[in-house]
Amino acid sequence: MQFRVLRGSVLLTASLVAVPVALFAASPAPLPAHPETVAAITAADLSARDKAISDDAFQGRGPGTVAGEAAAQWIADELKRIGVAPANNGSYFQDVPAVNITLDAAKSNLVFKTAKGDLNPKFPDQDVYWTPQFAAGHVSVKDSPLVFVGYGVVAPEYGWNDYAGVDVKGKTVIILINDPGNEDKTPDPAFFKGKAMTYYGRWTYKYEEAARQGAAAAIIVHETVPAAYGWQVVRNSNSGAKSWLDAANKNANMVPVEGWITHETAGDLFHRAGLDYQTLKAAANKHGFKAVAMKGETLSADLNSTVTHIKTRNVVGMIKGTTRPDEVVLYTAHWDHLGVKPDVAGTDKIYNGAVDNGMGVSSVLEIAQAFAHAKPRPARSVAFLFWTMEEQGLLGSQYFARHPLWPLNKIVGGINFDANLPEGTAHDMVVVGNGASQLEDILAAALKSQNRVISPDPEPEKGSFYRSDHISLAKVGVPMLYPGGGYDLVDGGKAAGQKLRDEYRTRHYHQPSDEWNAKWDLSGPISDLKVLYKVGLDLANGDQWPDWYKGNEFRAIRDKSMAAHTR
């Protein structure tokens, strides 16, 4: 699951990028063997594949690393072994040119100058910062005035503009995480969707809007409850190399300095300006809020970074349709994780990502093998896509959305797997971002075969709908389904389902402890895969062109695309 990361892994240098991709098959350790599997979707096969893809040999699957790209090769080899053909003109790969920018923290600094003295947060324990610009290795901001812009949102449909009446060109904006009203005890569903996060609540949007406003720096305040993750996730995710797709303008349109500060650091900063953080936060949640200049406070920063151009790869396979091969159904999952972090506490430095997203990779491979042995073959083509650089900002899927292998109006729809938990069977299946598309109608019908129903996302405030690769496809109109596993478990009900989610998020998410376990109960995921196989099979053999529901933000994009398809 995405939270932009790559740190501590040994990256391929720019000079190595040009060598043949066969080099990527090299690895510093013997690779795990491809497990013996059967055509049926089984727990034994799912477990064996997860064990293999999360093996230490792949060193946490860091994109652009020798071991990480060996994981991509392993997936391609597995597709070939089970009878799935390459999908990109005879290749199992789609190259994704990218850039890593690694901050040299020892030679960089960020300081808040205040009337009560300089505030120098400790990196990375109290702040993290970086530059997305890669024209040069040095970026500097000098005496940039601070402005508190609330949630940093411009949303005309809600009559909301946090930047109204203020010019922040060349200034530093301090921003709250999530949406206005998101933390209310009884959120108004008509006000920024109430408890459910909108895209305006995502940190990615906040940096994008700050750039549109001309800010010199954009700093987000972290709070664990509204963010839904602790500071350790922010620290681990942003204190080393960060990645972007290669761009001709070298990201000159982006904010020169982006970063986060802890809640405690923000409180100190506001206090030094004679302001109260909680009072201003409350004001920022009400209509009529006006940005507040933090008088007498400025930011100065000098960032020195190493820029490395790399190539990593999406893995792409396909079962070609018999009668309508140009119409394509997608199953997707990201193969990358966080690599190795030499400076992390403890003896285990490898972020194996067995759940995130070894489970997703294994799930798509299970379904791919079932399709490879299906008789008769489906009428439409079915593609199996394994994204790179999800953890670095959904970059692999974003690249595909910009450079699709098939016309977007020929892609029927898709199902994305990301970090589904090992658990027992359930009475339901969660759809993250439910109420979005007609794919849910097809899923609901398939679930009836197991006497199950769709449940809404139990934690919509966490914004998971915007945190995985399906959103890259959604933004270009393709209907995507993001199943979140069972929640109302047969053994223990909703309380047990919530406990599993809480335990994973607090103890294992983006931690070295996210490792394969032979004792996992995989009965729930297997039930889910059988249903989701049926959804894809029905789509592949039918003539439906599911759309987003009326009123959905992606409906107009899809309708325009499909109008071109029917002309």
Side-chain angles (χ1 to χ4, degrees):
M1 182 172 286
Q2 184 262 338
F3 199 99
R4 208 170 183 169
V5 186
L6 182 62
R7 187 180 180 214
S9 298
V10 181
L11 298 174
L12 292 174
T13 64
S15 62
L16 285 179
V17 170
V19 304
V21 295
L23 177 65
F24 289 134
S27 177
L31 299 184
H34 293 274
E36 293 293 329
T37 54
V38 297
I41 295 171
T42 69
D45 286 1
L46 184 67
S47 180
R49 286 187 164 116
D50 190 273
K51 180 182 180 182
I53 198 62
S54 59
D55 191 275
D56 279 358
F58 293 130
Q59 296 286 287
R61 304 192 301 278
T65 68
V66 171
E69 297 299 326
Q73 183 67 56
W74 187 94
I75 295 168
D77 291 344
E78 180 69 354
L79 288 172
K80 183 177 181 180
R81 184 186 73 85
I82 63 178
V84 177
N88 188 16
N89 295 317
S91 174
Y92 284 104
F93 301 106
Q94 180 188 40
D95 289 342
V96 179
V99 175
N100 282 325
I101 307 177
T102 307
L103 180 76
D104 187 338
K107 296 181 180 179
S108 303
N109 65 80
L110 183 149
V111 58
F112 296 101
K113 297 181 179 180
T114 81
K116 296 184 178 180
D118 290 353
L119 176 60
N120 292 279
K122 183 180 178 182
F123 181 98
D125 297 326
Q126 296 173 317
D127 74 346
V128 288
Y129 55 89
W130 61 89
T131 180
Q133 299 183 356
F134 55 92
H138 178 258
V139 170
S140 179
V141 173
K142 181 73 171 176
D143 297 328
S144 172
L146 267 59
V147 182
F148 173 61
V149 294
Y151 289 88
V153 169
V154 178
E157 66 272 35
Y158 294 111
W160 196 275
N161 187 348
D162 284 323
Y163 289 96
V166 60
D167 183 359
V168 299
K169 289 183 176 64
K171 298 178 181 179
T172 295
V173 291
I174 307 297
I175 312 171
L176 300 172
I177 193 65
N178 280 25
D179 293 315
N182 187 265
E183 294 180 72
D184 291 351
K185 291 183 178 179
T186 54
D188 180 358
F191 180 49
F192 284 91
K193 294 187 179 179
K195 186 179 180 182
M197 184 191 292
T198 71
Y199 186 62
Y200 296 118
R202 289 290 292 143
W203 50 270
T204 48
Y205 164 80
K206 296 175 189 295
Y207 294 135
E208 291 164 2
E209 188 60 51
R212 286 188 283 270
Q213 299 292 332
I219 308 296
I220 297 175
V221 179
H222 172 264
E223 292 189 63
T224 296
V225 173
Y229 39 77
W231 178 257
Q232 80 279 0
V233 174
V234 180
R235 180 189 63 226
N236 292 347
S237 301
N238 296 286
S239 53
K242 294 178 67 65
S243 305
W244 283 264
L245 294 179
D246 207 346
N249 70 353
K250 302 185 185 301
N251 289 345
N253 60 316
M254 299 179 72
V255 178
V257 176
E258 299 176 349
W260 294 72
I261 55 176
T262 64
H263 181 206
E264 294 76 15
T265 301
D268 188 3
L269 187 62
F270 278 64
H271 179 73
R272 289 168 181 246
L275 304 170
D276 181 75
Y277 175 79
Q278 291 299 334
T279 298
L280 281 179
K281 180 179 178 181
N285 278 274
K286 297 177 181 177
H287 279 286
F289 168 76
K290 301 294 182 184
V292 177
M294 302 177 71
K295 295 181 180 179
E297 297 192 337
T298 62
L299 177 142
S300 291
D302 281 293
L303 281 62
N304 290 287
S305 306
T306 300
V307 178
T308 307
H309 291 260
I310 68 165
K311 276 188 178 179
T312 180
R313 305 169 294 174
N314 292 327
V315 185
V316 292
M318 171 180 277
I319 300 293
K320 195 169 184 178
T322 55
T323 59
R324 285 168 287 154
D326 59 331
E327 299 175 3
V328 187
V329 177
L330 308 182
Y331 285 93
T332 75
H334 72 91
W335 65 256
D336 66 300
H337 198 51
L338 311 185
V340 180
K341 300 178 186 292
D343 57 349
V344 73
T347 57
D348 189 356
K349 313 292 184 181
I350 300 175
Y351 285 64
N352 300 83
V355 170
D356 183 13
N357 190 28
M359 282 291 289
V361 170
S362 303
S363 295
V364 175
L365 287 171
E366 279 294 296
I367 288 176
Q369 187 168 16
F371 270 103
H373 288 82
K375 293 182 179 179
R377 290 292 181 95
R380 286 167 162 163
S381 295
V382 183
F384 309 96
L385 309 179
F386 303 83
W387 313 115
T388 186
M389 304 190 88
E390 190 268 0
E391 301 289 5
Q392 289 71 42
L394 315 180
L395 298 185
S397 57
Q398 185 182 124
Y399 185 83
F400 176 90
R402 295 177 183 176
H403 308 278
L405 299 182
W406 313 281
L408 295 172
N409 57 19
K410 292 288 188 176
I411 300 177
V412 180
I415 301 173
N416 181 55
F417 293 85
D418 194 357
N420 294 98
L421 294 174
E423 61 183 7
T425 55
H427 298 294
D428 63 349
M429 180 187 289
V430 168
V431 171
V432 181
N434 61 290
S437 85
Q438 294 164 359
L439 287 171
E440 295 172 43
D441 301 332
I442 301 169
L443 173 62
L447 283 168
K448 287 182 179 179
S449 66
Q450 295 182 350
N451 295 315
R452 299 170 67 190
V453 296
I454 290 175
S455 281
D457 185 352
E459 300 174 299
E461 70 280 4
K462 291 178 170 53
S464 296
F465 184 68
Y466 302 101
R467 292 169 60 181
S468 191
D469 290 298
H470 62 280
I471 198 67
S472 297
L473 280 297
K475 285 180 178 179
V476 292
V478 178
M480 294 294 293
L481 191 65
Y482 185 19
Y487 182 66
D488 184 6
L489 302 185
V490 172
D491 186 6
K494 296 178 180 178
Q498 187 62 51
K499 183 180 179 181
L500 275 173
R501 283 161 169 74
D502 290 343
E503 179 179 345
Y504 176 73
R505 182 170 57 248
T506 57
R507 295 182 57 189
H508 306 297
Y509 174 58
H510 284 196
Q511 302 295 324
S513 58
D514 185 358
E515 297 184 309
W516 174 82
N517 190 328
K519 296 181 180 179
W520 277 340
D521 181 355
L522 296 175
S523 57
I526 292 303
S527 294
D528 294 346
L529 291 184
K530 290 178 178 179
V531 164
L532 294 167
Y533 170 72
K534 177 173 171 49
V535 170
L537 190 63
D538 289 346
L539 278 174
N541 284 323
D543 57 5
Q544 306 126 299
W545 285 93
D547 202 348
W548 301 94
Y549 290 137
K550 289 182 179 179
N552 184 275
E553 58 201 294
F554 307 120
R555 171 84 180 224
I557 301 169
R558 181 62 167 181
D559 288 350
K560 183 178 180 180
S561 175
M562 295 308 294
H565 166 68
T566 56
R567 283 203 295 267

